[in-house]
Amino acid sequence: MKSYWTLLRTPGVSRLIGAQLTARFPFGMLSLAFLIHIEHIFDSYGAAGLVLGAMSIGQAIAGPLTSRLMGQLGMRPVIIATMFICAVSIVVMALVPLSVLSLMLIGFVAGLSTPPIQPAVRTIYPKIVNSRQLTPLFSLDASAQEIIWVLGPVIATFVALQVSTTAGILLAAFFLVAGGIWFVSLPEVGRVRIPRSRRKLGVVLKKPAVLLSTIVGFTLVAACAAVEAGVVAVFGHGSADAGWVLGIFAIGSLIGGLALGHSPIGPWALAARMLIVTIGLALASLWLTFWWLSLALLVAGVGIAPAFAVLFGIVSASVKFSDTAEAYGWVGTGQLIGAAMGSAIAGFSIDHSGPVSAIYVAAGFAALGCIIPALGRRWHPDLRGRDISPIPDTEPIQVQVS
């Protein structure tokens, strides 16, 4: 723990983590908030799944595109423009009575304008800490990120139950704008300039580590989103138990991130961490009681933040600095699609087969996320004892001969 406190005292680190957490927090709330909101309006989890699916398509397109634009236009202009469009779209979906088709169209716009906060902050980190601090920083960031993906739905659930589903969505829009303004105002955002990439869009996915991180990130977040939908369905909209269970899920992830943050990242690291998640979710499907779900999801949570830390680390060590933003854009796209698709598939499963089917869906996603890195371990970088900073960009130097 001492090393984390030392890291947080490094100039710029704590405010970057705080600002990016606030700006990205809505995307941990919105999948479940819209799931509850739209199901309440149309009495169908399937309708909610369609809207979330449309949003995920927009996010899939936006991730690498907006990340790459930051190298051309700068971080601040791109983040401010996307933040404004996304916030307006979310507010319209919350306040204006619309058909499912209209909600799908506006949801697509909201997804397309998702601010590229994650690629921006992951690009900045190597410029404000030394190489020895980068692995613990990624672990700390991954632990904090679980506040977004796991604790965010807890807040969305509580607000939806205690106030209204509309209030939950509007609260997410507030976090988006407030956090976005805080983030773009930081001096580190202005000082770090992303070099213009010379490669075509998508070429970075030819890096095995980037593709592996994108796919496994998708399965991991999809598992989290599916289990969140399942827990809400188990306890119903009239009970706060769902919020408590998901809060324990978040605590497990925070514990895992802080405890395993300094563990060596070898070829089996990602598969091992995903195995923890898979075991916990499989256990959760056995009995749908409050205490059993709490215990099983506590176990599952222990593997989540450490898995994210590995994802970030292997990407950082495998690409040039000019490609980091796009690479993290693809990884973020995988995670955002996972959040929406996990909720959507779980929603349809709940409609047809009951709440336990969503837990099965979650365990299935997690198992897939364990099998893929196990089979592809030869493409998983061995970072034990290595510097995980991005590869420096090199340019030819003109020499004048007299």
Side-chain angles (χ1 to χ4, degrees):
M1 290 299 294
K2 183 179 179 181
S3 62
Y4 290 118
W5 288 117
T6 302
L7 188 60
L8 287 172
R9 288 197 295 269
T10 302
V13 169
S14 57
R15 61 186 176 221
L16 265 174
I17 291 178
Q20 65 101 359
L21 267 182
T22 306
R24 294 172 54 217
F25 197 78
F27 298 99
M29 299 175 62
L30 285 173
S31 291
L32 195 53
F34 276 126
L35 184 74
I36 297 172
H37 180 71
I38 297 170
E39 191 278 334
H40 179 73
I41 294 173
F42 297 102
D43 194 26
S44 170
Y45 282 101
L50 290 173
V51 176
L52 292 172
M55 187 178 292
S56 73
I57 294 172
Q59 291 169 336
I61 297 171
L65 289 177
T66 53
S67 300
R68 195 176 178 90
L69 278 175
M70 290 193 295
Q72 300 172 350
L73 305 177
M75 292 187 192
R76 282 173 172 158
V78 173
I79 292 173
I80 291 171
T82 52
M83 175 185 67
F84 175 78
I85 297 170
C86 188
V88 170
S89 301
I90 290 170
V91 170
V92 169
M93 293 175 72
L95 297 180
V96 180
L98 298 167
S99 65
V100 173
L101 179 60
S102 297
L103 286 169
M104 289 174 64
L105 292 174
I106 300 175
F108 173 77
V109 174
L112 193 63
S113 57
T114 301
I117 301 292
Q118 185 184 61
V121 75
R122 301 260 152 57
T123 302
I124 294 171
Y125 280 157
K127 298 300 180 181
I128 64 171
V129 299
N130 60 47
S131 59
R132 290 181 294 102
Q133 293 176 305
L134 198 52
T135 297
L137 178 54
F138 279 139
S139 180
L140 182 63
D141 181 272
S143 299
Q145 179 176 264
E146 285 316 295
I147 298 174
I148 298 171
W149 295 116
V150 186
L151 193 57
V154 176
I155 295 178
T157 302
F158 275 117
V159 174
L161 292 175
Q162 301 299 324
V163 185
S164 69
T165 56
T166 299
I169 298 171
L170 294 179
L171 180 61
F174 170 78
F175 277 123
L176 174 65
V177 174
I181 293 173
W182 182 12
F183 184 78
V184 298
S185 68
L186 296 179
E188 291 78 15
V189 177
R191 285 199 296 264
V192 176
R193 171 68 181 175
I194 302 173
R196 186 187 294 265
S197 177
R198 299 180 178 184
R199 296 170 178 81
K200 292 182 179 179
L201 180 68
V203 171
V204 72
L205 281 174
K206 291 183 178 180
K207 296 283 188 180
V210 178
L211 184 60
L212 182 66
S213 294
T214 301
I215 295 172
V216 176
F218 165 82
T219 62
L220 177 54
V221 177
C224 291
V227 80
E228 287 156 9
V231 168
V232 170
V234 166
F235 296 105
H237 294 168
S239 171
D241 286 350
W244 290 112
V245 171
L246 294 176
I248 293 170
F249 193 20
I251 291 170
S253 182
L254 291 170
I255 292 171
L258 296 176
L260 303 177
H262 294 279
S263 299
I265 299 177
W268 288 96
L270 191 52
R273 287 154 174 78
M274 289 301 299
L275 180 61
I276 298 172
V277 181
T278 304
I279 292 172
L281 294 179
L283 290 173
S285 67
L286 298 179
W287 295 285
L288 302 183
T289 64
F290 175 86
W291 290 110
W292 180 257
L293 282 173
S294 298
L295 178 61
L297 293 185
L298 180 68
V299 172
V302 169
I304 293 175
F308 277 121
V310 175
L311 296 179
F312 305 150
I314 64 176
V315 169
S316 177
S318 303
V319 300
K320 291 186 176 181
F321 180 66
S322 59
D323 292 325
T324 53
E326 184 186 340
Y328 285 124
W330 286 108
V331 175
T333 288
Q335 294 175 16
L336 290 167
I337 296 174
M341 294 303 293
S343 293
I345 295 173
F348 280 108
S349 298
I350 293 167
D351 278 347
H352 290 88
S353 305
V356 71
S357 64
I359 311 296
Y360 293 148
V361 169
F365 273 122
L368 187 62
C370 177
I371 293 169
I372 290 172
L375 295 177
R377 62 187 180 279
R378 62 178 176 174
W379 296 294
H380 187 301
D382 188 348
L383 303 182
R384 290 173 292 187
R386 278 185 52 189
D387 180 359
I388 69 167
S389 300
I391 303 167
D393 288 272
T394 56
E395 298 181 356
I397 301 174
Q398 295 183 351
V399 178
Q400 183 176 1
V401 180
S402 56

